[in-house]
Amino acid sequence: MIRILVTGGTFDKEYDEISGALYFKETHLAEMLRLGRCRVPAVIETVMLVDSLAMSLADRERVAGRCRNCDESQIVITHGTDTMVETAAVLAGSVTGKTVVLTGAMVPYAFGSSDGLFNLGSALSFVQVLPSGVYIAMNGTHFPWNKVRKNRAAGVFETVDGAQ
Amino acid sequence: MIRILVTGGTFDKEYDEISGALYFKETHLAEMLRLGRCRVPAVIETVMLVDSLAMSLADRERVAGRCRNCDESQIVITHGTDTMVETAAVLAGSVTGKTVVLTGAMVPYAFGSSDGLFNLGSALSFVQVLPSGVYIAMNGTHFPWNKVRKNRAAGVFETVDGAQ
Amino acid sequence: MIRILVTGGTFDKEYDEISGALYFKETHLAEMLRLGRCRVPAVIETVMLVDSLAMSLADRERVAGRCRNCDESQIVITHGTDTMVETAAVLAGSVTGKTVVLTGAMVPYAFGSSDGLFNLGSALSFVQVLPSGVYIAMNGTHFPWNKVRKNRAAGVFETVDGAQ
Amino acid sequence: MIRILVTGGTFDKEYDEISGALYFKETHLAEMLRLGRCRVPAVIETVMLVDSLAMSLADRERVAGRCRNCDESQIVITHGTDTMVETAAVLAGSVTGKTVVLTGAMVPYAFGSSDGLFNLGSALSFVQVLPSGVYIAMNGTHFPWNKVRKNRAAGVFETVDGAQ
């Protein structure tokens, strides 16, 4: 059984046609698993629905708490990309004996041209085979939490030492 | 470096608006990697574009030959789902020392509601971390080639002994 | 009030992921009107769901009967493109005092790259302003029923005398 | 020949995956006409690409000038919905002898669930058959410029006297 913790991020943003702004309504994870014909037993839990730039340390610790206290040892977290690395560091400091994979999207799932479905397939796969630890799964690959940064100008994740 | 061998299957089918039939024009793999913002070095090679029900043993052996003779040791094969297991068995008998992951789709990528992008993200992830061997990546998980069958009535892959 | 008579055609075809064939399940008209935020009072009636190449004269007469016997004087008919002109001729011979606009699609609505939504917006608009008569609305314009043919090689409708 | 004047609005907004904001890159009109298999001779002219809330009176007069000075007598204008009625009033005061139809979208065309393609099919159809004057085509119908308002709370256009 895999636990999917939803925290928001670009992944789950939608367009509000009345205000013209982006907002969160509810997570698209169940719909995405259905679209992927995913048959891996998984439980979806919405911890919060926020922009990762608005996440506080307390928010990250709440996510860490859910990782520690849930029954599952394989955990996928959907998260905004801007502070995904910061949350990964908090998790690495307090979650042990579990495989935790954070993923996200550069474009909202609801907008058609999203990388979300690709990333979700990737994260769910990595979490089933990687040893215990905290990882980020983006751009088709996985990074240990302490070997990665987001290159905001390019909109991609890269290893800290630049070696891809 | 990952080699992606394209063989056709539902994955790459398109709708011919003149004849009203489904057909193959060219593979969508490059577009899908772009959509997934995939940054894993990968080379795409179209071996054939056929329905997997129309695949001959010679076709499967041609795919096996490409697996053996290419430089890469991580190989993803896109394949029709109906005879994916048969091709996997042929590969298992002749490809050694490489990780080969077959994947496909239940709905053409071009039709919007496809599982293709999810499966591609999954297959590309598994191929980077699984030990040598031949696997099928569908429905969010991976199966060793000799422990899986397609349940055609349900349209899903399942382990041979029924244990999920 | 506009009556929308559904007869099938490419418009409403779907992909059966078990058989790999195209088929009819139910009409997408209600969903399309919702997507178009259409607020024109309209009632949707599924008369049949068939390929227009499989339509018999009796089928066309059944459609004509529904046009004559319904209360509305503005009628949109969704129809396969291959024999749309034949049905239009049958309607022209037996429906009087009403504005009837036939439309269709070259690609199923469900497949993403469809012209269906564009054509529906067009047909619903023409039916509100054209005088009594039978018309075909395709390719962004309208044709009187006896001045049009489908160019099957090009997949477009054109005026019989070639004057666009 | 129809002239399509592009002014921006929700219609043409895109998601900037680096900044996470909505912005204008270029118009999608040509792509939309292609998708609709539109064969009506049409020329697309981008007058500006702005939010209609940011439109000045000078902007509206520039649009009016293009309407007066172009050769075509059938003109479709894509426009943000928030001040579409204001621009229509400016046009009505200075453009004569031409049929001008303004349209827009509640959701960007690029976001999948857009009403844009439906509205474009509608506007292009109305402009070919309505007598000279300035109209708004939204929600599947057309309104004379002085009989319509946008109900911002509901996100729909309605006749001023409430009679639909």
Side-chain angles (χ1 to χ4, degrees):
Chain A
M1 175 76 79
I2 298 172
R3 179 162 296 255
I4 301 176
L5 298 179
V6 173
T7 72
T10 296
F11 219 81
D12 273 329
K13 279 205 182 150
E14 295 190 49
Y15 183 77
D16 179 346
E17 67 184 72
I18 302 301
S19 71
L22 301 173
Y23 78 122
F24 294 108
K25 196 164 68 178
E26 54 182 359
T27 180
H28 299 82
L29 258 292
E31 181 186 336
M32 294 172 77
L33 292 179
R34 212 159 37 235
L35 193 62
R37 279 79 175 160
C38 187
R39 298 190 72 225
V40 182
V43 54
I44 300 168
E45 173 185 343
T46 301
V47 182
M48 60 193 78
L49 280 175
V50 298
D51 242 310
S52 81
L53 287 173
M55 248 191 200
S56 65
L57 179 57
D59 286 333
R60 300 187 215 283
E61 285 172 346
R62 184 143 67 99
V63 177
R66 291 304 303 135
C67 290
R68 284 193 308 272
N69 297 328
C70 71
D71 289 338
E72 294 77 16
S73 61
Q74 299 181 337
I75 301 168
V76 166
I77 301 173
T78 64
H79 196 288
T81 57
D82 280 324
T83 69
M84 194 184 280
V85 175
E86 284 86 325
T87 297
V90 171
L91 298 178
S94 75
V95 183
T96 54
K98 298 194 173 191
T99 302
V100 182
V101 177
L102 294 98
T103 194
M106 293 305 294
V107 172
Y109 169 69
F111 289 4
S113 62
S114 176
D115 50 340
L117 197 62
F118 179 87
N119 292 343
L120 181 61
S122 179
L124 280 171
S125 300
F126 280 129
V127 84
Q128 296 174 63
V129 288
L130 289 173
S132 300
V134 177
Y135 307 87
I136 282 178
M138 288 290 292
N139 302 120
T141 191
H142 70 289
F143 305 87
W145 69 272
N146 58 348
K147 297 279 174 53
V148 61
R149 71 170 163 226
K150 182 180 174 189
N151 178 330
R152 290 198 192 176
V156 298
F157 283 77
E158 53 194 20
T159 52
V160 171
D161 56 11
Q164 174 67 334
Chain B
M1 175 75 81
I2 297 173
R3 179 162 296 254
I4 301 176
L5 298 179
V6 173
T7 72
T10 296
F11 219 80
D12 272 330
K13 279 205 182 150
E14 294 189 49
Y15 183 77
D16 178 346
E17 68 185 71
I18 303 300
S19 72
L22 301 173
Y23 78 123
F24 294 108
K25 196 165 67 179
E26 54 182 359
T27 182
H28 299 82
L29 258 293
E31 181 187 335
M32 294 171 77
L33 292 179
R34 212 161 36 236
L35 193 62
R37 278 77 175 161
C38 186
R39 298 190 73 226
V40 181
V43 55
I44 299 168
E45 174 186 343
T46 300
V47 182
M48 61 192 78
L49 280 174
V50 298
D51 241 311
S52 81
L53 287 173
M55 247 191 200
S56 65
L57 178 57
D59 286 332
R60 300 188 214 282
E61 285 172 345
R62 185 143 67 98
V63 177
R66 290 305 302 134
C67 290
R68 284 193 307 271
N69 297 329
C70 71
D71 288 339
E72 295 77 15
S73 61
Q74 299 181 337
I75 301 167
V76 166
I77 301 174
T78 63
H79 196 287
T81 57
D82 281 324
T83 69
M84 194 184 278
V85 175
E86 284 88 324
T87 297
V90 170
L91 299 178
S94 75
V95 183
T96 55
K98 298 195 173 191
T99 301
V100 181
V101 177
L102 294 97
T103 194
M106 292 306 294
V107 172
Y109 169 68
F111 290 4
S113 61
S114 176
D115 50 339
L117 197 63
F118 179 87
N119 292 342
L120 182 61
S122 179
L124 281 171
S125 300
F126 281 129
V127 84
Q128 296 174 64
V129 288
L130 288 174
S132 300
V134 177
Y135 307 87
I136 281 177
M138 288 290 292
N139 302 119
T141 190
H142 70 289
F143 306 88
W145 69 274
N146 58 347
K147 296 279 173 54
V148 60
R149 71 170 163 226
K150 181 181 173 187
N151 178 331
R152 291 199 190 174
V156 298
F157 283 77
E158 53 195 20
T159 52
V160 171
D161 57 11
Q164 174 68 333
Chain C
M1 175 76 80
I2 297 173
R3 179 161 296 256
I4 302 176
L5 298 179
V6 173
T7 72
T10 296
F11 219 80
D12 272 330
K13 279 205 181 152
E14 296 190 49
Y15 183 77
D16 179 346
E17 67 185 72
I18 303 300
S19 72
L22 301 172
Y23 78 122
F24 294 108
K25 196 164 67 179
E26 53 183 0
T27 181
H28 299 82
L29 258 294
E31 180 186 334
M32 294 171 77
L33 292 179
R34 209 158 41 234
L35 194 61
R37 278 80 176 160
C38 187
R39 297 189 73 226
V40 182
V43 55
I44 300 168
E45 173 186 342
T46 301
V47 182
M48 61 192 78
L49 280 175
V50 298
D51 241 311
S52 81
L53 287 173
M55 247 191 199
S56 65
L57 179 57
D59 286 333
R60 300 188 214 283
E61 285 173 344
R62 184 142 67 98
V63 176
R66 290 305 303 135
C67 290
R68 285 193 306 272
N69 297 328
C70 71
D71 289 339
E72 294 77 14
S73 62
Q74 299 180 338
I75 302 169
V76 167
I77 302 174
T78 63
H79 196 287
T81 57
D82 281 323
T83 70
M84 194 184 279
V85 175
E86 285 87 324
T87 297
V90 171
L91 299 177
S94 76
V95 183
T96 55
K98 299 195 173 191
T99 302
V100 181
V101 178
L102 295 97
T103 195
M106 293 305 294
V107 172
Y109 169 69
F111 289 4
S113 62
S114 175
D115 50 341
L117 196 63
F118 179 86
N119 292 342
L120 181 62
S122 178
L124 280 171
S125 300
F126 280 128
V127 85
Q128 296 174 64
V129 287
L130 288 173
S132 300
V134 177
Y135 307 87
I136 281 177
M138 288 291 292
N139 301 120
T141 190
H142 70 289
F143 306 88
W145 69 273
N146 58 347
K147 295 278 173 55
V148 60
R149 72 169 163 225
K150 181 180 175 188
N151 178 331
R152 291 200 190 174
V156 298
F157 284 76
E158 52 194 21
T159 52
V160 171
D161 57 10
Q164 174 68 333
Chain D
M1 175 76 80
I2 297 172
R3 180 162 294 255
I4 301 176
L5 298 179
V6 173
T7 71
T10 296
F11 218 81
D12 272 329
K13 280 208 181 148
E14 296 189 49
Y15 183 78
D16 179 346
E17 67 185 73
I18 303 300
S19 72
L22 300 173
Y23 77 123
F24 294 108
K25 195 164 66 178
E26 54 182 359
T27 181
H28 299 82
L29 258 294
E31 180 187 336
M32 294 172 76
L33 293 179
R34 213 160 36 235
L35 193 61
R37 278 79 176 161
C38 187
R39 297 189 74 226
V40 181
V43 56
I44 300 168
E45 174 186 343
T46 301
V47 182
M48 61 192 78
L49 280 175
V50 299
D51 242 310
S52 82
L53 287 173
M55 248 191 198
S56 65
L57 178 57
D59 287 332
R60 300 188 215 281
E61 285 173 345
R62 184 143 67 99
V63 177
R66 291 305 303 135
C67 290
R68 284 194 306 273
N69 297 329
C70 70
D71 290 337
E72 295 76 15
S73 62
Q74 300 180 337
I75 302 168
V76 166
I77 302 173
T78 64
H79 196 288
T81 57
D82 281 323
T83 70
M84 194 183 279
V85 175
E86 284 86 326
T87 297
V90 171
L91 298 178
S94 77
V95 183
T96 55
K98 299 194 173 192
T99 302
V100 181
V101 178
L102 295 97
T103 194
M106 293 305 295
V107 172
Y109 169 69
F111 290 2
S113 61
S114 175
D115 50 340
L117 196 62
F118 179 87
N119 292 342
L120 181 61
S122 178
L124 280 171
S125 300
F126 280 129
V127 85
Q128 296 174 64
V129 288
L130 288 173
S132 299
V134 177
Y135 308 87
I136 282 177
M138 287 291 291
N139 302 119
T141 191
H142 70 289
F143 306 87
W145 69 273
N146 58 349
K147 296 279 173 54
V148 60
R149 72 170 162 226
K150 181 181 175 188
N151 178 331
R152 291 200 190 173
V156 298
F157 284 76
E158 53 194 20
T159 52
V160 170
D161 56 12
Q164 174 68 335

